[in-house]
Amino acid sequence: NTPMRGGTEWTPRYRGDESSIRQLLKPSPSGYIPSKVGDAEQVYGGREARIPQLRIPIGEVDVAMIARSLPQRNRSRKRSLSTSGISVGAASAEAKRGGHHWYSRISSTRSMLRNETNHRILGRRLADDSESIVPGEGWEVQGGNIGYCDGTLNSVCARDKSSICLMTGHNDGRGTLDGDALSGWVVFNLKDVTQGLFLARMESWFPMETNKRTEGWTAINNGKRTRHRHLKAPPPPKPADYRVEVAVNGVITKSLNETEFNDLCVEPGYNLIICTLWDDEERAVKNEKEDVELAFRMAGGGRKAIMGITHVYYA
């Protein structure tokens, strides 16, 4: 089993924004980090008044009070949750066998999440590409909730102006980090990587030209140097010059057309696509901690080449 960390723009999530994708992102040279489109502030803060129906009647047993008074259980028996995501179970005594990764709760076989045709990397390897990998300013977060949405009674969530009922405390939200071919690079700062592994849940079915951040742009990052979902019809075909590029520590390692990119992805369930953007078996064999900068972008296709990211996982 390989313990994974990560982040998501869906809510509820552990410790609110601390486990969002945005917490893993490197700011652009101007300091920009993708933010939510629309309401950015809640109408009011603080905890809600207690719902009368949830109060313990006088004379009745308060089960929650009894539970809180019990001694703490051994922490080693609890599921470990890190501030940057979720550790899936306890680390196996053998995190790697024969140089191969073993996935926990994702697949019982390695081939499900990786195209292993002749054990080769798809696309062109551009190790000599001289372009610097600089975070772009055309990424944004569409949908989802604002506030502290951890799914508990202590959450302060979804109290934006568009809410039809501010006191519902409804934590369920489906935010998406969106970008297109004009958005530039989105760069992830990954701490203590040992397995050379990075996966993402991705949504390629957005209508074209729906990224509000790049409206009116005609060039990447608007020339700066320094949600709607298709459920009943397939998304339109990607532009002919559409490509997806991945860089690790400043070096572009993948430049893929649509077919090659799709070969990196699996669809284990409806509306669920998981793509393996980085899988370095040599790093896994070394099993040494290292901070890694992983970048992703669409190249070619302008505002029609849109992509959404809702979850990322790395190890």
Side-chain angles (χ1 to χ4, degrees), residues 127-266:
D128 296 328
D129 196 301
S130 60
E131 178 186 3
S132 59
I133 308 300
V134 179
E137 299 194 357
W139 292 82
E140 65 182 8
V141 177
Q142 291 193 32
N145 288 324
I146 60 174
Y148 188 86
C149 307
D150 68 345
T152 70
L153 289 175
N154 294 321
S155 65
V156 181
C157 181
R159 298 176 185 170
D160 51 274
K161 295 179 182 179
S162 61
S163 174
I164 59 174
C165 183
L166 295 170
M167 294 184 65
T168 59
H170 191 53
N171 277 223
D172 182 42
R174 302 296 177 93
T176 307
L177 177 65
D178 295 334
D180 55 37
L182 300 184
S183 299
W185 292 98
V186 59
V187 182
F188 298 87
N189 285 324
L190 310 178
K191 301 295 184 182
D192 296 333
V193 172
T194 60
Q195 303 300 303
L197 189 61
F198 185 93
L199 295 81
R201 180 187 180 276
M202 311 190 77
E203 299 183 350
S204 60
W205 52 80
F206 284 87
M208 295 177 177
E209 302 181 341
T210 56
N211 181 7
K212 298 182 183 298
R213 180 77 180 172
T214 59
E215 283 183 354
W217 292 16
T218 58
I220 297 174
N221 284 329
N222 201 21
K224 294 180 180 179
R225 290 290 181 180
T226 53
R227 190 156 132 111
H228 305 290
R229 296 156 58 192
H230 282 273
L231 298 180
K232 296 184 179 179
K238 294 290 190 295
D241 58 345
Y242 171 86
R243 297 194 74 80
V244 171
E245 295 185 339
V246 178
V248 178
N249 288 338
V251 177
I252 298 178
T253 59
K254 289 184 175 69
S255 182
L256 314 171
N257 62 29
E258 184 177 8
T259 300
E260 293 168 334
F261 174 70
N262 289 339
D263 284 340
L264 300 181
C265 306
V266 294

Side-chain angles (χ1 to χ4, degrees), residues 18 40 42 71 82 128 135 155 166 168 187 223 226 271 275-277 307:
E18 288 188 30
Q42 305 208 80
S82 69
D128 296 328
S155 65
L166 295 170
T168 59
V187 182
T226 53
N271 206 24
C275 305
T276 305
L277 301 182
M307 181 70 73

